[in-house]
Structure formats: C-alpha cells, structure tokens
Amino acid sequence: MRKQVVIIGSGPSGLLLGQLLHGIGTDALILERSSKEHVLARVRAGVLEEGTVGLVRATGLAGRLDAQGLKHDGFAIAFDGRQHRIDLHALTGKRVIVYGQTELTADLMAGREAVSAETVYEAADVMPHDFDTDAPYVTYVHGGTTHRVDCDFIAGCDGYHGISRRSVPAGAISTFERSYPFGWLGILADVPPVSEELIYASHPRGFALCSMRSPTRSRYYVQCDGDDKAENWSDQRFWDELRSRLPADAADAVTIGPSFEKSIAVLRSSVSEPMRFGRLFLCGDAAHIVPPTGAKGLNLAASDVHYLFGALRDFYGEHSTAGLDAYSSRALARVWKAVRFSWWMTLLLHPFPGAGPFREKLRAAEIEYVTSSHHAAAGLAENYVGLPY
Ligand code: FAS
Ligand code: PHB
C-alpha cells in the first residue's frame, strides 16, 4: 500500500491533521493502537484556545463545538478564603471555549468516517522505518497480518508513550524533563458546576480546580500524592476534600453527586528537540507534555498541527520545503513559552511537599501580585488564552 502521509495515533493531533489533509486532497492513513471505544473513553482536556477552535472550524467539523462549547471570558483564582477574577476578555480581547476533548475527538472521528478516510484501529506493533531517507514506510500488524505502508511523510501523533519519539536514534534527540511530586485526581459527575466560570483554588491542603463539561456536568480536580490511587478515594472523601480547599461561599455552593469517572493524571513537563527527523515529524504529546494547570496540552497539539499542516500543504501544493524545514523551530518556539507558563502556573497554585515556609511565603506573594497588578494579570491572561501562532 502507498499513502502520501501516515499518521500514527488517533488522538486530537492525528485526527485534526488527518482532517485538514483530507480537505486539500492529501491521502493520509491513521494507525491507532487502541480501539475507537478506548480512545473515546479517555477524559482529558476541557479548555480550548481560539486558535484551536479556528483549526477545528477549518475542518468543517465545529458544528457541535460552536453550538455546545461554553464561551468563558474569565476564571477565578481562589486563595485565603476569597476569590479574584482574572478577566481574560478585558485583558486580552480573547476568550476560551470549554468543550471536552472527548467530544472534540468524537466530532473529528465522525467527520473522518463521513468522508471514508481510513483509520486502522487496534493496529499493533506500529513501526516507522527509513524516515532518514526519501522512502520512509510504516509497518503494523492487524488481524494477525503484517502490513507495510510506503509514504512520503510520517506524522508521529502517538502521544508521550508512543513509538515515534522512541524510534529516533538516541543521539539525534534531546529531552528536557521535570516531574512534579504530586498528581491531579479528577472526577466527572452529572451535577451542575459550582460556578459559571472555572475556579483555580490554592489552599495549604492542596490545589483544587472546579471545571465543567456542560451546565449539567462538572469536572473537578484535587491535587493528590504522586503515588496515590483513584481507588483510595471514595466520592465522599473527594467531595469533602474539594470543599475544604474552596472559599466558604463556593464550598457551600458545591452540588455533590455520584462520580462516573475518577482518574489520576501524573504531572510532568517534557520537551523533546528537535521535532523533525527527516521524513518523521513529531506532533502534540509525542513531542511535549505540560502539567494541565495552564490548559495547554491539547492546545499545543493544535498549534503543532497548524504548523505541520501548513508545511505539508505548501509541499504538495507548491513543492516548497520551507515549511517542513522550519517546522521544528517554529513549533518549539511556541511550545517552550507554553511549557514555561504551565510550569509557572503550577508553581503558583500548588503547595510543593517539603518546600518549606520561605517558598510558601513567596508563593503567597506571587498570588497577591497577580491578583492586584493589572500588568501581572495581563501577562497571565495572554498566556492562558494562548500566545499567537
Ligand atoms: P494523545 O495521547 O491524546 O493521542 C495519542 C494517540 O496515539 C492515542 O490514541 C494512543 O492510543 C495512540 N498511540 C500511542 N502509541 C501508539 C502506537 N505505538 N501506535 C499507534 N498508536 C499509538 N490537557 C489539558 O489541556 N487539560 C487536561 O486536563 C489534561 N488532562 C490530561 C490527562 C491525562 C491522563 C493525559 C495523559 C493528558 C492530559 N492532557 C490534558 C493533555 C492531553 O489533553 C493531550 O495534550 C492531548 O491528548 C494531546 O493529544 P495528542 O497529541 O493527540 O496525544
Ligand atoms: C478540564 O476541564 O479538564 C480542565 C480545565 C482547565 C485546566 C485543566 C483541565 O487547566
């Protein structure tokens, strides 16, 4: 078999790239190791930047997103028993859209099926080959048969644990990592959100986040030990801990109910450089990971897709390699600014185990500064809504 582009991974990166390529008549195959149901069962991001929404609109698949996405002009930072609103729209002229990654993935999958673009689910042992030549190919096993797909380019959209980054010779790639000594325990519950906007709460007991998926479905997180297990947390324990970390007015307003999803996300910052290796291009979590504090993970995947799609469009449309040659440096320039912001916002809002009183005093001063200075708030806001592509 021969395809112009083989995309490894059917998460947001792979699906978004695949749909944009289809729109210009470029033949792309997606190889996904999990089942479609497994991909759709993952609960992850919830906040989309305007740039991400624009890309989804460019695929023609933003109907549900535009109809159901919740426009948010700001969010609150809760600390010392009070809340302070960061007015994103007043500070930047932009807003964010709250729309679950699960819904976005479902929309992109449905759009791909509607145009009969091919995705092979449960593709095992996917392996990129000869991407340092002009004749790369990918092999995979499906239904007990080994398949080979010759192609022009391979897009490694297979996430942090994927095969693409691991296929690059160790001497050709540098990875910069930081792990955080805690995780986020998240739940989904069909109860109305505690407020119309998100609340990022900093409390000596730990961080908490009040988010949502719709006016009737809430998404909550509490900071937990890095080695904690979701099964250690009954719903009642979760609700009690969440409310203990919120100001009294918010705590009293929380509607509790049975969770139907409960999981722990490990927090880490990681960037691999470069993001291009001959005919292999890393995209999204395959190249970088950020702690979810700044809601950047999915949005960085989108800007990578923006750069890679433009480069492939120029190659096939104008036989230009300029975009391909610039991809890694352009993507990394935006990635590192988002990694910095996510790291900064994580340090701002989370007590670090063993950090000591001096650092906690600094953290309190930083929160006071951000919530009392227009310039500091503007800096936070312009990063949160997303820096320009
Ligand atoms: P993804 O990891 O989403 O998709 C990669 C795909 O490749 C998967 O479907 C995987 O099955 C497939 N794959 C992997 N290896 C393969 C192989 N060898 N062969 C074929 N396919 C393979 N971001 C936020 O902004 N907010 C959040 O709250 C948030 N929470 C998160 C919680 C968790 C547990 C995780 C892991 C991430 C979270 N993120 C969050 C970040 C997340 O949203 C990612 O940024 C986003 O999924 C990136 O999309 P992709 O790059 O497509 O990678
Ligand atoms: C979410 O709704 O899942 C969410 C929102 C904002 C974040 C992280 C996660 O910063």
Side-chain angles (χ1 to χ4, degrees), residues 229-373:
K229 300 281 184 274
E231 51 266 29
N232 296 337
W233 289 76
S234 67
D235 281 358
Q236 192 56 55
R237 181 187 175 197
F238 181 90
W239 292 120
D240 292 345
E241 189 60 40
L242 172 77
R243 297 175 64 201
S244 74
R245 300 182 183 184
L246 297 175
D249 57 340
D252 292 343
V254 171
T255 304
I256 71 173
S259 68
F260 63 88
E261 197 275 345
K262 192 181 287 173
S263 57
I264 290 181
V266 172
L267 268 59
R268 69 164 57 88
S269 299
S270 176
V271 179
S272 293
E273 297 184 357
M275 288 172 57
R276 177 207 184 168
F277 307 88
R279 294 296 180 108
L280 170 66
F281 293 80
L282 301 182
C283 189
D285 276 19
H288 41 72
I289 289 280
V290 287
T293 324
K296 289 289 152 261
L298 174 53
N299 292 299
L300 271 184
S303 52
D304 289 352
V305 167
H306 166 79
Y307 299 130
L308 184 53
F309 167 65
L312 291 169
R313 181 197 54 216
D314 294 350
F315 176 82
Y316 285 113
E318 301 161 22
H319 309 294
S320 163
T321 62
L324 296 171
D325 297 339
Y327 169 71
S328 182
S329 57
R330 286 183 75 192
L332 283 169
R334 189 172 194 272
V335 162
W336 272 113
K337 288 196 275 284
V339 167
R340 180 213 65 85
F341 171 68
S342 304
W343 167 82
W344 172 81
M345 197 161 168
T346 300
L347 266 60
L348 178 77
L349 297 172
H350 294 72
F352 274 54
F358 181 75
R359 185 191 175 281
E360 281 303 288
K361 283 291 190 184
L362 286 181
R363 196 166 70 82
E366 182 103 32
I367 290 176
E368 280 292 343
Y369 173 54
V370 163
T371 55
S372 60
S373 157

Side-chain angles (χ1 to χ4, degrees), residues 59-138:
T59 68
L61 300 174
R64 221 159 54 105
L65 166 53
D66 284 333
Q68 298 174 17
L70 304 173
K71 294 180 178 61
H72 280 211
D73 286 353
F75 64 81
I77 294 178
F79 63 105
D80 286 349
R82 56 197 164 106
Q83 294 190 49
H84 174 85
R85 184 168 185 263
I86 300 290
D87 191 336
L88 297 172
H89 197 254
L91 289 162
T92 68
K94 295 182 178 179
R95 53 172 57 98
V96 292
I97 306 297
V98 172
Y99 188 72
Q101 175 174 322
T102 308
E103 304 314 313
L104 176 60
T105 302
D107 296 341
L108 293 171
M109 281 181 174
R112 186 163 180 80
E113 287 165 9
V115 297
S116 305
E118 188 180 3
T119 297
V120 177
Y121 290 101
E122 298 180 272
D125 303 328
V126 176
M127 184 61 68
H129 301 271
D130 292 356
F131 46 83
D132 57 345
T133 74
D134 289 345
Y137 66 97
V138 178

